[in-house]
Amino acid sequence: MAGRLTTHVLDTARGRPAAGMSVELFRLDPETGERKSLKTVSTNDDGRTDTPLLDGEELVRGVYELVFEVGDYFLGEEIPDLPFLDRVPVRFGV
């Protein structure tokens, strides 16, 4: 399958890109539903990753999940042991 998978993370509380946020990409096994970690990346100053998460033949039909480490990103601005948001998953199909 041709194409690429990218993400763009915005910090709407501050009105700017979410630079330095850790994001983990998983692919779900079609038979068992178990998650397999494909990679962990960090967003750049523009809130994007420097390269696509998946590109070209790496991007295959299936179910994926991105987990955004929002709690770590906002660490120090909320009660550290009780963040409003912590790990935010987004599950989607390709």
Side-chain angles (χ1 to χ4, degrees):
M1 172 182 295
R4 70 175 95 183
L5 175 66
T6 63
T7 189
H8 188 191
V9 187
L10 301 174
D11 179 343
T12 58
R14 296 182 186 127
R16 63 182 186 207
M21 183 180 292
S22 181
V23 181
E24 190 167 6
L25 172 65
F26 295 90
R27 185 169 193 281
L28 278 69
D29 183 284
E31 293 182 22
T32 66
E34 290 186 39
R35 297 184 319 164
K36 176 185 177 192
S37 178
L38 300 179
K39 64 176 64 173
T40 301
V41 296
S42 186
T43 57
N44 60 23
D45 288 343
D46 192 36
R48 302 174 192 271
T49 57
D50 289 331
T51 60
L53 297 168
L54 296 173
D55 198 6
E57 298 302 316
E58 294 177 313
L59 183 60
V60 296
R61 180 181 171 91
V63 178
Y64 294 87
E65 186 174 275
L66 287 170
V67 179
F68 299 88
E69 297 291 344
V70 176
D72 287 346
Y73 174 79
F74 284 111
L75 191 64
E77 296 187 20
E78 300 180 44
I79 302 169
D81 60 342
L82 188 59
F84 177 69
L85 293 172
D86 192 15
R87 301 183 83 228
V88 178
V90 177
R91 190 171 285 184
F92 57 96
V94 172

